[in-house]
């Protein structure tokens, strides 16, 4: 797991294991990241499945309650089958853009 802080966004990359194992590691350390906007980069796992992506549903709900953004990056999934409660994009740049838009929406009171 590789963690990068850039401004008000923290990017956590899965660099070694499959997504299910990475999710377990991240869950254990989640409390140290819950007050930050998160980009979770899952693009390392080329065998990622929709079930792996759905593991992050509860974490996403918790994060939204904290009024923070959580965006997943995965480039080899069917984006049409992603649950509406999850935000999944194919690139890190798009993840940054989504977080910036959500920050603006929160500042405006939406």
């Amino acid at each position: 797991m590789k963690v990068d802080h850039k401004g008000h966004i923290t990017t956590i990359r899965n660099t070694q294991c499959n997504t299910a194992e990475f999710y377990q590691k991240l869950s254990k350390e989640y409390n140290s990241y819950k007050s930050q906007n998160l980009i979770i980069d899952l693009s390392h796992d080329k065998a990622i499945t929709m079930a792996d992506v759905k593991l992050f549903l509860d974490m996403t709900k918790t994060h939204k309650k904290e009024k923070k953004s959580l965006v997943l990056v995965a480039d080899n999934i069917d984006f049409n089958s992603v649950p509406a409660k999850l935000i999944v994009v194919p690139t890190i740049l798009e993840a940054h853009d989504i977080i910036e838009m959500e920050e603006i929406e929160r500042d405006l009171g939406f």
Side-chain angles (χ1 to χ4, degrees):
M1 183 174 356
K2 183 178 177 188
V3 179
D4 295 319
H5 299 283
K6 188 181 209 180
H8 62 282
I9 299 173
T10 299
T11 303
I12 303 172
R13 286 185 172 84
N14 176 11
T15 56
Q16 297 174 337
C17 51
N18 68 37
T19 301
E21 292 172 10
F22 173 71
Y23 175 77
Q24 294 301 321
K25 289 180 186 179
L26 184 59
S27 293
K28 291 176 184 171
E29 298 179 23
Y30 177 72
N31 284 336
S32 59
Y33 302 115
K34 70 180 180 183
S35 63
Q36 303 163 28
N37 291 310
L38 293 179
I39 296 174
I40 300 177
D41 186 357
L42 305 173
S43 57
H44 172 78
D45 186 356
K46 298 303 179 193
I48 193 168
T49 65
M50 190 53 60
D52 293 332
V53 171
K54 288 179 181 179
L55 290 172
F56 292 90
L57 272 169
D58 288 337
M59 190 179 290
T60 300
K61 289 177 191 174
T62 304
H63 220 66
K64 285 194 187 272
K65 288 179 186 173
E66 296 288 326
K67 303 234 185 278
K68 294 295 178 181
S69 300
L70 188 146
V71 180
L72 303 174
V73 177
D75 56 359
N76 50 347
I77 63 165
D78 178 14
F79 292 98
N80 293 325
S81 61
V82 173
K85 299 209 183 273
L86 287 174
I87 300 173
V88 183
V89 295
T91 66
I92 296 283
L93 180 60
E94 287 176 277
H96 279 277
D97 291 344
I98 293 286
I99 289 175
E100 292 300 326
M101 288 189 310
E102 287 186 348
E103 282 285 311
I104 291 168
E105 288 175 357
R106 283 192 286 272
D107 288 346
L108 293 173
F110 290 102

